[in-house]
C-alpha cells in the first residue's frame, strides 16, 4: 500500500477491498498506512469451520515490511491502480529490491510506465494485451517476447489458456510461466 497523493478514486473489484480477507471494509487504498497494522488479516481465514488466525496478530504488511521480514523471498507485485509506478520504482531503488520482485498488472499502460520508471531493471510480466498476443504466438510456435514472464488465468471464458502446448510455446520464447 503506497500513498501517492492521487485523489482519483479507482473502481473497486473484489480483491481490491478488505472484506474478503480481513475484519475491515472498503478499498485498501483508502486505509492510511499507519492503520494497516490494526486490521486483522487472519479474520476470515477458515479451516474446517474454525477461524484459527482471528486475533492472532496477522496484519496487512506494507511491501517494505514484507521484504524486510522475508529478505530471501521473491515477490510478485501487482500494480492495481494508476499512479503507483514511480513510487514503487523509488521503493525498489531505496530497498535494493531489483532482483527480488516481478511486477505485473492487468494494465499494459501501467506496466509500460513502470518499465520506463525502472529503466527495465526489474522483471515484469505481461499485461492483458501482451498476454493475448504472446498466447496466440505461443500456440503458433512464434511467441514474441514482451516481458520476463507471462501471468495468465488457467481459463478465460471457459476456454483453457494454460495448456501443455501454450506453456511449451512460452518456454520456447524464453518466458517464465
Amino acid at each position: 500500500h503506497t500513498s501517492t497523493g492521487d485523489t482519483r478514486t479507482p473502481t473497486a473489484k473484489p480483491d481490491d477491498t478488505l472484506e474478503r480477507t480481513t475484519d475491515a471494509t472498503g478499498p485498501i487504498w483508502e486505509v492510511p498506512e499507519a492503520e494497516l497494522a490494526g486490521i486483522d488479516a487472519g479474520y476470515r481465514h477458515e479451516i474446517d469451520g474454525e477461524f484459527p488466525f482471528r486475533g492472532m496478530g496477522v496484519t496487512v504488511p506494507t511491501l517494505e515490511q514484507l521484504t524486510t521480514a522475508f529478505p530471501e523471498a521473491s515477490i510478485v507485485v501487482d500494480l492495481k491502480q494508476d499512479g503507483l509506478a514511480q513510487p514503487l520504482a523509488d521503493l525498489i531503488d531505496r530497498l535494493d529490491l531489483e532482483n527480488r520482485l516481478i511486477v505485473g498488472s492487468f494494465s499494459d499502460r501501467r506496466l509500460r510506465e513502470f518499465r520506463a520508471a525502472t529503466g527495465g531493471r526489474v522483471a515484469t510480466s505481461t499485461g492483458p494485451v501482451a498476454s493475448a498476443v504472446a498466447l496466440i504466438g505461443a500456440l503458433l510456435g512464434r511467441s514474441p517476447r514482451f516481458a520476463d514472464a507471462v501471468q495468465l488465468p488457467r481459463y478465460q471464458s471457459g476456454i483453457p489458456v494454460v495448456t501443455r502446448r501454450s506453456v511449451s510455446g512460452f518456454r520456447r520464447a524464453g518466458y517464465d510461466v
Side-chain angles (χ1 to χ4, degrees), residues 6-141:
D6 189 353
T7 58
R8 295 173 290 178
T9 302
T11 303
K13 296 183 264 322
D15 275 349
D16 295 340
T17 61
L18 296 161
E19 290 87 345
R20 188 174 66 82
T21 58
T22 75
D23 63 341
T25 60
I28 192 164
W29 58 81
E30 290 181 357
V31 178
E33 185 176 323
E35 293 178 21
L36 288 176
I39 294 174
D40 186 345
Y43 188 79
R44 298 192 193 279
H45 188 85
E46 182 180 353
I47 300 175
D48 297 327
E50 304 283 323
F51 297 90
F53 299 104
R54 275 190 186 171
M56 300 300 291
V58 179
T59 63
V60 179
T62 64
L63 183 57
E64 183 169 355
Q65 291 166 337
L66 185 66
T67 57
T68 302
F70 299 97
E72 301 300 317
S74 297
I75 299 169
V76 177
V77 176
D78 187 353
L79 288 171
K80 287 199 172 268
Q81 72 183 93
D82 294 338
L84 294 180
Q86 191 60 56
L88 179 57
D90 294 344
L91 181 70
I92 289 168
D93 287 342
R94 184 167 59 81
L95 299 177
D96 193 28
L97 300 174
E98 293 86 20
N99 297 314
R100 294 187 48 204
L101 304 180
I102 184 164
V103 177
S105 180
F106 287 109
S107 167
D108 290 282
R109 180 182 44 74
R110 286 184 205 132
L111 284 168
R112 281 192 304 274
E113 290 170 1
F114 177 76
R115 289 178 188 125
T118 60
R121 294 183 325 274
V122 179
T124 59
S125 66
T126 52
V129 172
S131 291
V133 172
L135 175 61
I136 292 166
L139 295 174
L140 296 174

